[in-house]
Amino acid sequence: MALVRTPVAAEALRTPRRRTTFIQRESTLAYLYMIPGWSILLLFMAYPFFLGIYLSMTDRMLGWPGANFIGLENYRILWNDSVFQQTVRNTAIYGIGTVPFKLLLGLALALLLNRPFRLSRAVRAGLLLPWIVPTALSSLAWLMLFNGVLSPISWVLKDLGVIDQNINFLGSAWNARISLCIANIWRGIPFFAITILAGLQAVPNELHEAAALDGASKVQRFFSVTLPVIRSIILIATLFSIIWTISDFQLVYVLTKGGPANTTHVFGTYAYQIGMGATDLGQAAAISLYMFPALALGAILLLRYVRRED
Amino acid sequence: MNIVGENRLWSRIWQFYVPLALFAVFLLFPFYWMLVVSLKPNTDLFETDLNPFLLYSVTLDHYRYLFEETDFWTWTKNTMVVTVGATILSLACSILIGYALGRYRFRGGTFLGAAVFLAYLVPPTLLFIPLAEVISRFQLYNRYWALILTYPTFLIPFASWLLMGYFRTISRELEDAALVDGASRIQAMWQIVMPLALPGLLSAGIFCFTLGWNEFLYALVFMGSGEMKTIPVGTVSDLIRADVYFWGSLMAAGILGSVPVAVAYSFFVDHYVAGLTAGATKG
């Protein structure tokens, strides 16, 4: 059999395991098993990724044949485009204004849920809802909660005499940004809570008891016993959350579509507007790819932590 | 009750029940709101003097409008076809990848494992523009295959990673014993390991289903016109017309569109939580 001369096969022959036919070998099967999944990933992930790099260097328009190579022109235009600059700032605001809150509130909720209490399973399940339902649909609830006329938040504040006029939650740049952050925090808390809760269950009880016997207060025990155990889970969840927040689309699309006056775009919504609205596919591809360095950094860090965990 | 016990009760209320109740109100209020609005007659809805949190009378008009005046049934069918199709395709591919990465030693295994993990981190917003180009080159635009073939790009990495961890926990000796008894590797996989991995398959399946059901961007861009919309896309695009918001029907669609995933995970909540954390901490 000619195949026996390949190095992998030769190595398999040297091992004193039972004699196996080619198809029975682990490595053969492993590569065969990779084929269907990786074909899809190569065709619909790797190929569009490289196609995107090429597109971003052309003036390709949606619905028009052909394209001219224009080098880094799209990137240069965007660099000087005030809406794009605002989009970058918005993404930073969106990240800084949500991730720390999601983390702290999620941690607090996890600590609460980690205590034994009646109906704890049902409560855990219920509080996970914001994370599991379709974001585009739950965002519709927020769209109404933030409505200029019908918002129940305005109604309560008016009833209490705090304000006389309804708040225009989505009508001005900063109001809209803060509203987006609140809805994003709402959706993200359960993810942090459930993830950290799983980590908390790995904290050995004996350690807590020993520390309590030594006279450590609750707060001291949290920092010296609990936190070291859940540190890496917190880091991993935070990195995930940062990546997802940078690359968000649905919430912003449903709540503001990047408005008012293009002041609340994130990369995804701006790329959608330029690509699908203004039909400038080349520039839209460049907008998406501007996310790449930050995403790659997050991904590399995550990979390192996850490997260390293994 | 003595004073010490009373203090303990009070501290439990203040340090536990009150904060937990605040979380519950914040996290669940939007759902309560959706339900109330979806059942409220328009006359009450736009009467801003009424307490908006309460229902003074109940109507099913908004639900009727959804079923009779919009394509909600079609959207539901589309979402079903796409989600089930993508889930089956992704599970089939992921079982194979997860099995190989989790149980076989082969050259490049570590690298491919890392590559699967990195693929999971690629967000749809990074790819959707060139992917739209790919979809139109393959002439899949506005066809079910556009989503059935693209959803696996985020479902396969996730499910493979989850299943890899699961397959790894199943003892190797069991498989070796079957091999000694003359079973082939493929027989050992299907008859010995798969039945033991059933809970893992179930949670991977639920995950693929919910992630597919919830997807929005690809559905909007690749299948967003005419009769081919999914529930989230159809709801957002057809029930908001310029400045006219069909609030009652929007909320009704929000509730109905969330029910399948809520049901899917309430039946398997433990698997779901296990899967979520496996996904979050291991990939």
Side-chain angles (χ1 to χ4, degrees):
Chain A
M1 207 160 82
L3 286 161
V4 172
R5 276 198 290 274
T6 64
V8 179
E11 193 188 332
L13 277 185
R14 271 201 302 279
T15 50
R17 289 177 69 96
R18 80 195 77 78
R19 270 167 53 208
T20 49
T21 57
F22 176 70
I23 192 71
Q24 279 273 62
R25 263 196 298 274
E26 287 191 12
S27 54
T28 316
L29 280 175
Y31 294 125
L32 279 177
Y33 287 180
M34 293 291 158
I35 293 172
W38 277 103
S39 318
I40 293 182
L41 292 179
L42 288 175
L43 213 54
F44 294 100
M45 189 171 246
Y47 171 44
F49 178 73
F50 291 107
L51 183 66
I53 295 175
Y54 162 75
L55 273 182
S56 74
M57 294 193 264
T58 67
D59 59 0
R60 177 110 171 83
M61 300 291 278
L62 186 68
W64 287 79
N68 300 308
F69 186 81
I70 55 169
L72 296 177
E73 184 64 11
N74 283 323
Y75 292 93
R76 199 191 58 76
I77 293 171
L78 287 168
W79 189 263
N80 297 314
D81 169 18
S82 63
V83 175
F84 182 72
Q85 290 165 356
Q86 187 57 52
T87 301
V88 176
R89 280 195 293 272
N90 287 340
T91 307
I93 294 166
Y94 200 42
I96 295 165
T98 61
V99 177
F101 294 100
K102 287 188 270 192
L103 167 59
L104 287 176
L105 292 169
L107 175 62
L109 182 57
L111 289 169
L112 289 172
L113 291 176
N114 196 36
R115 301 200 205 173
F117 63 99
R118 243 183 287 171
L119 293 175
S120 62
R121 269 195 52 183
V123 172
R124 271 178 213 180
L127 297 188
L128 200 56
L129 272 177
W131 177 253
I132 66 134
V133 303
T135 299
L137 298 179
S138 62
S139 299
L140 291 170
W142 284 102
L143 187 65
M144 194 168 176
L145 296 177
F146 290 142
N147 184 270
V149 180
L150 298 171
S151 169
I153 305 167
S154 290
W155 190 88
V156 169
L157 293 175
K158 269 204 305 208
D159 204 50
L160 294 172
V162 181
I163 51 172
D164 329 308
Q165 288 239 304
N166 276 1
I167 301 172
N168 201 352
F169 289 98
L170 302 173
S172 72
W174 273 106
N175 279 3
R177 285 177 201 136
I178 293 167
S179 302
L180 285 173
C181 286
I182 291 171
N184 182 292
I185 292 168
W186 173 82
R187 185 187 54 176
I189 288 175
F191 165 71
F192 275 96
I194 295 293
T195 312
I196 295 172
L197 185 61
L200 284 174
Q201 276 153 7
V203 179
N205 242 331
E206 300 80 48
L207 273 180
H208 263 291
E209 283 157 15
L213 279 179
D214 287 346
S217 72
K218 263 188 188 170
V219 177
Q220 283 172 323
R221 271 184 283 156
F222 173 76
F223 281 103
S224 59
V225 179
T226 310
L227 200 57
V229 181
I230 58 172
R231 222 196 93 203
S232 53
I233 270 200
I234 288 182
L235 259 168
I236 289 168
T238 306
L239 282 167
F240 263 104
S241 182
I242 291 173
I243 290 177
W244 289 333
T245 307
I246 292 173
S247 60
D248 195 19
F249 177 81
Q250 306 191 34
L251 236 168
V252 183
Y253 180 81
V254 173
L255 285 183
T256 69
K257 288 209 164 62
N262 289 328
T263 51
T264 61
H265 274 300
V266 290
F267 290 96
T269 55
Y270 194 43
Y272 180 83
Q273 180 172 310
I274 294 294
M276 301 297 134
T279 69
D280 192 339
L281 287 183
Q283 203 173 96
I287 295 170
S288 286
L289 280 168
Y290 260 119
M291 273 193 292
F292 186 71
L295 293 177
L297 181 68
I300 289 164
L301 288 175
L302 248 179
L303 191 62
R304 274 183 47 190
Y305 282 116
V306 172
R307 282 231 175 123
R308 202 181 296 165
E309 278 291 281
D310 276 349
Chain B
M1 196 184 269
N2 62 35
I3 292 171
V4 177
E6 212 159 89
N7 275 342
R8 199 170 291 160
L9 179 68
W10 272 112
S11 83
R12 186 159 167 87
I13 287 176
W14 278 109
Q15 293 178 7
F16 181 70
Y17 287 109
V18 170
L20 192 64
L22 288 175
F23 271 113
V25 168
F26 178 54
L27 294 176
L28 299 181
F29 176 70
F31 298 108
Y32 169 79
W33 181 256
M34 281 177 141
L35 190 65
V36 166
V37 172
S38 75
L39 296 171
K40 193 180 281 195
N42 272 335
T43 45
D44 289 0
L45 197 58
F46 295 108
E47 184 54 67
T48 48
D49 290 335
L50 287 179
N51 183 332
F53 297 91
L54 303 177
L55 270 177
Y56 296 91
S57 54
V58 173
T59 176
L60 290 175
D61 275 353
H62 302 305
Y63 289 90
R64 190 176 309 130
Y65 183 86
L66 201 58
F67 290 123
E68 290 175 3
E69 308 291 324
T70 73
D71 294 330
F72 192 79
W73 284 120
T74 317
W75 305 337
T76 308
K77 189 192 83 192
N78 295 341
T79 316
M80 270 291 176
V81 171
V82 164
T83 307
V84 171
T87 299
I88 292 171
L89 180 60
S90 305
L91 262 190
C93 295
S94 307
I95 287 172
L96 295 174
I97 293 182
Y99 198 90
L101 290 176
R103 297 187 71 83
Y104 291 158
R105 255 161 303 182
F106 60 104
R107 221 171 268 195
T110 327
F111 168 77
L112 284 171
V116 164
F117 180 74
L118 289 177
Y120 176 52
L121 296 174
V122 175
T125 39
L126 186 69
L127 293 183
F128 77 102
I129 295 285
L131 200 49
E133 180 94 3
V134 173
I135 293 296
S136 79
R137 278 186 196 180
F138 292 160
Q139 305 196 337
L140 298 174
Y141 217 81
N142 239 10
R143 294 165 80 173
Y144 288 135
W145 286 110
L147 299 189
I148 294 177
L149 287 169
T150 50
Y151 283 4
T153 56
F154 52 86
L155 299 180
I156 290 174
F158 183 86
S160 301
W161 192 262
L162 195 143
L163 288 171
M164 177 181 89
Y166 224 95
F167 288 135
R168 220 171 246 169
T169 60
I170 293 164
S171 121
R172 241 187 128 82
E173 277 96 55
L174 226 55
E175 194 182 352
D176 284 342
L179 293 178
V180 169
D181 286 347
S184 71
R185 281 206 180 275
I186 294 170
Q187 280 172 327
M189 170 178 175
W190 287 106
Q191 288 164 16
I192 308 291
V193 182
M194 273 318 147
L196 291 170
L198 216 56
L201 295 179
L202 204 60
S203 55
I206 298 167
F207 256 98
C208 289
F209 182 82
T210 55
L211 289 176
W213 190 274
N214 293 356
E215 208 284 331
F216 185 71
L217 180 59
Y218 287 173
L220 177 72
V221 179
F222 310 148
M223 234 175 73
S225 53
E227 297 248 291
M228 294 302 282
K229 290 168 186 157
T230 60
I231 294 177
V233 174
T235 304
V236 170
S237 69
D238 286 20
L239 289 168
I240 302 174
R241 290 177 208 152
D243 279 346
V244 184
Y245 293 81
F246 294 75
W247 286 118
S249 301
L250 278 168
M251 298 301 129
I255 287 180
L256 294 178
S258 303
V259 163
V261 285
V263 169
Y265 106 106
S266 70
F267 273 122
F268 310 104
V269 68
D270 293 326
H271 293 302
Y272 192 93
V273 169
L276 180 65
T277 46
T281 59
K282 301 283 182 199

